[in-house]
Amino acid sequence: MAPNRTSPDLSFLLDRTSHVLRTRMAAALGEIGLTARMHCVLVHALEEERTQIQLAELGDMDKTTMVVTVDALQKAGLAERRPSSTDRRARIIAVTEKGAEVARQSQEIVDRVHADALASLPDDEREVLLRALDRLVTGHLAEPVEAARPARRARQ
Amino acid sequence: MAPNRTSPDLSFLLDRTSHVLRTRMAAALGEIGLTARMHCVLVHALEEERTQIQLAELGDMDKTTMVVTVDALQKAGLAERRPSSTDRRARIIAVTEKGAEVARQSQEIVDRVHADALASLPDDEREVLLRALDRLVTGHLAEPVEAARPARRARQ
DNA sequence: TATTGTTATACTCTATAACTATA
DNA sequence: TATAGTTATAGAGTATAACAATA
């Protein structure tokens, strides 16, 4: 939602572009049965042996969200939980052969959706856009302000 | 959440910047007891006589979300519901004197948060960033892809 | 005592459905 | 019949709390 649409302001521009891009990404990945999270986990799990906690951190997810994401990957036959050889509490997420193939496809989809969005911009604008956003992400907009959450009551 | 952080991709950049800016905006507006939505409604209601539906459309909110937003503004003494003189179904949202003063403050806050974020960028980059985002919003990323929602069952 | 992964579930957010009054 | 506003609540998404196994 736009805080104020009278002047095209930064909040509106960022909210709107990220939201629309997200819906496009979800629709495109949905065609091969993936969510953005599943794609994210697949790609990072392929890079090297990683535990659920490590993958959760990389994808900026809660560990409980990670559980359902891995459940979905496992159910789809794209990844498996394997006991870590060094820590019996931890599970290594191993990508299956099918999972590796799907990850290749999903990365293509992600790249295409991004390329499609950026294609409408002149070359020089595209470059500056990415550089400026990166500057914001690593600089002034690096850290979210955490909201004061009301304490949750204990479960029954 | 970032779909993939290995290469700095557009999804991650937009999601992250919009999310962090949103938390900063929420924190800043929260100091004077406003949400972004309340600010949005106040500003648009000040411009001219508008009904809840009109304000909802401007802020890209559902009419039911508008009800609670106006409730909050009314409870805070910042706006009132007045019967429309031309349509007895409709309510004009009238901003109180206090509401107008708060809207002035909140607009200052919004402008400051935006200025702070953009201040870290070189002048030319800042301009191109805003132009490029605007191009995306009005062009390739104008329309969200609507997700297929499962039909909701009737209420009891 | 702290941490990994898990289950259960509290909470928030949003929007659909249903309703009343009016057009 | 259609629309403005309202109420109630379903459903999705997310994260906290508690727990078992292990460090």
Side-chain angles (χ1 to χ4, degrees):
Chain A
M1 191 266 317
N4 178 8
R5 279 200 188 176
T6 51
S7 66
D9 61 287
L10 188 62
S11 293
F12 169 68
L13 291 171
L14 291 176
D15 283 353
R16 186 81 187 168
T17 49
S18 70
H19 173 244
V20 175
L21 186 61
R22 187 192 292 261
T23 66
R24 289 187 189 273
M25 193 63 82
L29 287 174
E31 295 198 4
I32 59 169
L34 286 197
T35 62
R37 282 196 176 132
M38 288 164 79
H39 164 75
C40 176
V41 169
L42 274 187
V43 168
H44 286 128
L46 267 173
E47 288 169 2
E48 56 182 277
E49 288 214 343
R50 283 179 167 138
T51 66
Q52 288 188 202
I53 288 266
Q54 290 170 331
L55 290 167
E57 201 142 324
L58 283 167
D60 202 22
M61 297 176 229
D62 190 86
K63 61 179 181 172
T64 59
T65 306
M66 192 63 191
V67 170
V68 307
T69 305
V70 173
D71 284 351
L73 288 172
Q74 198 158 37
K75 196 175 164 192
L78 305 179
E80 292 168 4
R81 290 170 164 98
R82 295 208 185 131
S84 161
S85 53
T86 59
D87 184 340
R88 282 196 290 174
R89 294 170 305 179
R91 318 294 185 87
I92 300 296
I93 302 309
V95 178
T96 64
E97 233 174 89
K98 185 180 167 194
E101 168 58 19
V102 167
R104 200 190 51 70
Q105 288 174 48
S106 62
Q107 189 58 56
E108 253 177 40
I109 289 173
V110 168
D111 292 342
R112 176 171 52 74
V113 169
H114 287 159
D116 284 355
L118 292 169
S120 59
L121 299 178
D123 286 10
D124 52 332
E125 252 182 46
R126 179 163 53 231
E127 260 176 63
V128 176
L129 170 71
L130 291 171
R131 186 164 64 239
L133 287 174
D134 192 64
R135 236 194 264 271
L136 291 178
V137 161
T138 56
H140 190 273
L141 294 182
E143 287 303 322
V145 180
E146 68 220 86
R149 312 291 242 66
R152 177 176 164 177
R153 68 175 228 255
R155 84 189 205 219
Q156 308 307 356
Chain B
M1 192 269 315
N4 178 9
R5 278 199 189 176
T6 51
S7 67
D9 61 287
L10 188 62
S11 293
F12 169 67
L13 292 170
L14 291 176
D15 283 353
R16 186 81 187 169
T17 48
S18 71
H19 173 243
V20 175
L21 185 61
R22 187 192 293 261
T23 66
R24 289 187 188 274
M25 192 64 80
L29 287 174
E31 294 197 4
I32 58 169
L34 286 196
T35 61
R37 282 195 176 131
M38 288 163 80
H39 163 75
C40 175
V41 169
L42 274 188
V43 168
H44 286 128
L46 267 173
E47 288 169 1
E48 57 181 278
E49 289 215 343
R50 283 181 166 135
T51 66
Q52 288 188 204
I53 289 266
Q54 289 170 333
L55 290 167
E57 202 143 324
L58 282 168
D60 202 21
M61 295 176 229
D62 190 87
K63 61 180 182 173
T64 60
T65 306
M66 191 54 154
V67 169
V68 307
T69 305
V70 173
D71 284 350
L73 289 172
Q74 197 158 39
K75 197 175 163 191
L78 306 178
E80 293 167 2
R81 289 172 164 97
R82 296 209 185 129
S84 161
S85 52
T86 58
D87 184 340
R88 281 195 291 173
R89 294 170 305 178
R91 318 294 184 88
I92 300 296
I93 302 309
V95 178
T96 64
E97 232 174 89
K98 184 179 167 197
E101 168 57 19
V102 167
R104 201 191 49 72
Q105 287 175 48
S106 63
Q107 189 58 56
E108 252 177 41
I109 290 173
V110 168
D111 293 342
R112 176 170 53 73
V113 170
H114 287 159
D116 285 354
L118 292 169
S120 59
L121 299 179
D123 286 10
D124 52 334
E125 253 183 44
R126 179 163 52 233
E127 258 175 64
V128 176
L129 170 70
L130 291 171
R131 186 162 66 238
L133 287 174
D134 192 64
R135 236 194 264 271
L136 291 178
V137 161
T138 55
H140 190 272
L141 294 182
E143 287 303 321
V145 179
E146 68 220 87
R149 311 292 242 68
R152 179 177 163 175
R153 68 174 227 255
R155 87 187 202 221
Q156 307 307 356

